[in-house]
Amino acid sequence: LGETIRVPLMTGRTPTGLVLDATGGAGLFSIALTPGTSLKLAGETASSNTKTDKVNFDVRLPSNYKAASDLTLTVNAETDGAGTLGTCTVDAEVFLVADDGTHGGDICATAAQAIDGTNTAKAFTITGATLTAGAVIHVQITEAVQETAGGSLNGVISGIRLS
């Protein structure tokens, strides 16, 4: 790609295409914005259960993208709060968007990755075989957070970029 494309978190959408807001909801991230300090997406709070939240983005590949080159989608993710971590993961699904708006199959070659209370960059490989300059890809990121002892944990995404 030759450059890094930062995906603006404020452009995230729900799985049904609605704009994210500050309250979130079942299966949805909320926008946590403190101007001049931080912007992040915060998932639902898990307490003796598992919460799974999804966010969606469309990204247009730049004109200098070399056709059929693999890409790296990097997601900064972590858990936040106090509690006992169970299985906590972040996953990415990536789909080429056709001119008629239909999506092909998932072209992300990397499985879900474990997350914990440390903000860590998680890299996902996007198979570029069907991609061309100017193509639009649809990205869905899923965080699953399990808290096992009555605490209070939620998933957080603080950055997304494509390179």
Side-chain angles (χ1 to χ4, degrees):
L1 186 59
E3 65 182 285
T4 298
I5 300 171
R6 293 188 63 201
V7 179
L9 295 180
M10 295 287 282
T11 64
R13 300 283 180 148
T14 70
T16 60
L18 299 175
V19 176
L20 296 180
D21 61 28
T23 57
L28 306 176
F29 282 94
S30 63
I31 295 173
L33 171 63
T34 305
T37 302
S38 67
L39 169 63
K40 60 186 176 180
L41 302 180
E44 297 172 90
T45 299
S47 180
S48 296
N49 61 12
T50 301
K51 296 293 184 176
T52 302
D53 301 298
K54 298 177 184 280
V55 63
N56 293 263
F57 299 90
D58 283 343
V59 179
R60 179 176 302 282
L61 300 181
S63 61
N64 65 341
Y65 167 72
K66 183 179 176 221
S69 298
D70 289 353
L71 298 168
T72 300
L73 176 72
T74 304
V75 179
N76 279 77
E78 65 183 306
T79 61
D80 188 33
T84 302
L85 289 175
T87 302
C88 300
T89 60
V90 62
D91 194 17
E93 295 173 279
V94 181
F95 308 94
L96 175 62
V97 180
D99 290 341
D100 65 0
T102 57
H103 292 186
D106 183 8
I107 57 174
C108 181
T110 309
Q113 299 183 50
I115 59 172
D116 58 24
T118 303
N119 187 327
T120 306
K122 301 294 184 176
F124 296 87
T125 299
I126 300 171
T127 304
T130 59
L131 302 177
T132 59
V136 175
I137 57 174
H138 182 85
V139 177
Q140 179 170 267
I141 297 172
T142 303
E143 271 191 344
V145 174
Q146 180 185 40
E147 195 288 327
T148 62
S152 181
L153 293 172
N154 66 299
V156 173
I157 294 174
S158 58
I160 302 169
R161 56 202 172 279
L162 192 63
S163 57

